[in-house]
Amino acid sequence: MKHLSILVPRGQNNLSSVVGPFKIFNRANQYFEQAGKHPVFAIKLVGTGEKVDFYHGLFTVNVQRHIGEIDQTDLIIIPSLNHHYEEAIAGNEALISWIYRHYKSGTEIASICTGAFLLAASGALDGKSCSTHWAAAEHFRRMFPRVRLETDQLITDENGIYTNGGAYSFLNLMIYLVEKYYNRETAIFCAKVFQIDLARNLQSEFSIFNGHKQHDDEVIQEAQIYLEENYREKISIQELARKLNVGRRNFDRRFKKATNFTPLEYLQRIKVEAAKKFFENTRLNVNEVMYDVGYSDSKAFREVFCRITGLSPLEYRTRYNAYETT
């Protein structure tokens, strides 16, 4: 039987990402047993103390095994963290070292949402791709520049490391892992029991573009403000660079370094974010929204919108429009 370690870091408050994996993998084991098979995993809650409080002591998790007692484990699941990432890393140094040691010995690791901060702090993600909650992406990039962050991806799978996007999308990662370690039939069964949408593979449609302004390049901040205030107009990036007295190549390089986007990509995301709000809150049709955000080519608008959100403009409007759902 394989061993699954669900970590319970100190000082965290996201109980669902501890309980969720525990319930799903136990249910997968039960399904196997009912079919006359041996359960795949022995599942333990693992940490550095006997108990961890959640939500200011409202709930308490009893840790079943101390990390010092775990010589070998096949899969480690790191739950999501609260928003104090530096404190979480400082308060879980022994756990982070334990994660890295087991990864180097061949253990596979899955991080849930902002649990990627603990995983990245171990060094196991250096040079690799990962996902995390879109709202934490800018903070993550500043802290871990050697990690390739894939903000649009719901799940990443690379060299025995699995990560997922934000919040309850961890359920999709758990089903993904159930299929890997059990089989497709068990994954479908668990998806039906817990009512998890197997078709989801992107977190793009849920993200909110926040501008990426936590940097010190004042010229680029000025450019960002200009793009955000004038996105409906026909904007020449060449003219914008000239207006700011910066050469085009240098402007593109500085913009990419500061925001992680090229100026054109940034402008496209501003337009798409504005379009999403129109689709959510007005009765405007797709063409009306397209013109309102500065596009005149329906094919180009659709391609950009699909690439950024994972949905067509019509699909997004149908799914999220307040008037369509009431």
Side-chain angles (χ1 to χ4, degrees):
M1 185 183 295
K2 296 181 183 294
H3 188 278
L4 167 59
S5 299
I6 301 173
L7 301 189
V8 189
R10 291 180 178 272
Q12 301 310 311
N13 66 0
N14 290 304
L15 183 60
S16 61
S17 61
V18 175
V19 176
F22 187 83
K23 292 185 67 175
I24 290 172
F25 278 95
N26 269 293
R27 194 67 185 88
N29 273 349
Q30 291 171 16
Y31 185 73
F32 251 44
E33 289 182 288
Q34 290 165 1
K37 302 176 183 179
H38 293 294
V40 172
F41 281 114
I43 305 164
K44 297 294 181 183
L45 302 182
V46 176
T48 56
E50 294 182 359
K51 296 182 179 182
V52 176
D53 289 333
F54 290 78
Y55 303 104
H56 308 290
L58 186 60
F59 302 102
T60 299
V61 170
N62 294 309
V63 175
Q64 296 172 294
R65 298 284 296 276
H66 188 278
I67 57 172
E69 301 175 282
I70 307 292
D71 295 323
Q72 188 275 333
T73 187
D74 297 280
L75 176 62
I76 295 169
I77 294 179
I78 306 171
S80 60
L81 310 175
N82 60 24
H83 300 294
H84 306 294
Y85 308 121
E86 288 87 352
E87 292 178 24
I89 291 169
N92 288 283
E93 290 181 352
L95 198 62
I96 291 168
S97 297
W98 182 86
I99 290 168
Y100 185 73
R101 184 169 68 253
H102 279 276
Y103 175 66
K104 294 300 286 184
S105 70
T107 299
E108 297 200 328
I109 303 174
S111 72
I112 291 173
C113 189
T114 50
F117 281 82
L118 284 188
L119 181 55
S122 77
L125 278 174
D126 286 355
K128 300 182 182 68
S129 299
C130 85
S131 186
T132 190
H133 197 292
W134 58 263
E138 193 171 356
H139 197 155
F140 186 94
R141 285 195 180 96
R142 289 202 314 275
M143 290 182 66
F144 305 108
R146 288 181 290 183
V147 180
R148 298 190 301 272
L149 187 61
E150 305 284 350
T151 53
D152 291 339
Q153 294 303 308
L154 198 71
I155 294 172
T156 67
D157 175 346
E158 184 175 354
N159 297 327
I161 290 181
Y162 313 92
T163 69
N164 83 279
Y168 287 95
S169 68
F170 81 83
L171 297 170
N172 295 87
L173 176 59
M174 295 304 104
I175 296 300
Y176 182 88
L177 293 173
V178 167
E179 181 171 357
K180 174 182 172 60
Y181 281 98
Y182 296 77
N183 54 37
R184 177 69 174 175
E185 179 184 335
T186 307
I188 292 173
F189 173 78
C190 289
K192 289 181 177 180
V193 168
F194 294 99
Q195 299 188 28
I196 301 167
D197 183 1
L198 283 172
R200 286 183 57 199
N201 56 15
L202 295 173
Q203 66 169 332
S204 315
E205 65 183 278
F206 303 105
S207 67
I208 301 172
F209 187 61
N210 59 15
H212 295 250
K213 295 192 180 70
Q214 296 182 22
H215 58 83
D216 299 323
D217 193 325
E218 294 182 359
V219 170
I220 300 305
Q221 287 181 350
E222 187 176 346
Q224 288 173 272
I225 292 170
Y226 180 86
L227 292 174
E228 289 165 8
E229 292 179 349
N230 298 278
Y231 70 88
R232 288 184 172 91
E233 309 301 325
K234 187 174 181 180
I235 295 175
S236 164
I237 303 300
Q238 181 74 34
E239 283 298 307
L240 177 57
R242 187 186 60 77
K243 187 191 297 276
L244 296 169
N245 297 314
V246 182
R248 174 62 191 271
R249 290 182 63 183
N250 187 35
F251 178 71
D252 287 353
R253 179 187 61 79
R254 286 170 62 178
F255 203 104
K256 177 77 172 179
K257 180 181 179 182
T259 69
N260 205 50
F261 296 107
T262 67
L264 178 59
E265 289 170 341
Y266 192 89
L267 179 59
Q268 289 173 338
R269 287 183 176 264
I270 293 169
K271 289 175 178 286
V272 167
E273 190 62 30
K276 284 163 62 179
K277 288 182 170 59
F278 280 124
F279 287 139
E280 291 164 11
N281 300 305
T282 75
R283 295 182 184 273
L284 297 177
N285 63 35
V286 171
N287 282 339
E288 290 170 326
V289 169
M290 176 187 74
Y291 291 123
D292 272 355
V293 299
Y295 278 95
S296 57
D297 183 333
S298 60
K299 182 181 178 183
F301 175 61
R302 188 180 190 282
E303 287 178 351
V304 170
F305 196 95
C306 285
R307 175 168 52 80
I308 291 175
T309 69
L311 298 173
S312 72
L314 183 58
E315 288 171 332
Y316 191 93
R317 184 183 186 279
T318 301
R319 184 172 298 187
Y320 292 107
N321 184 265
Y323 302 101
E324 295 278 351
T325 57
T326 55

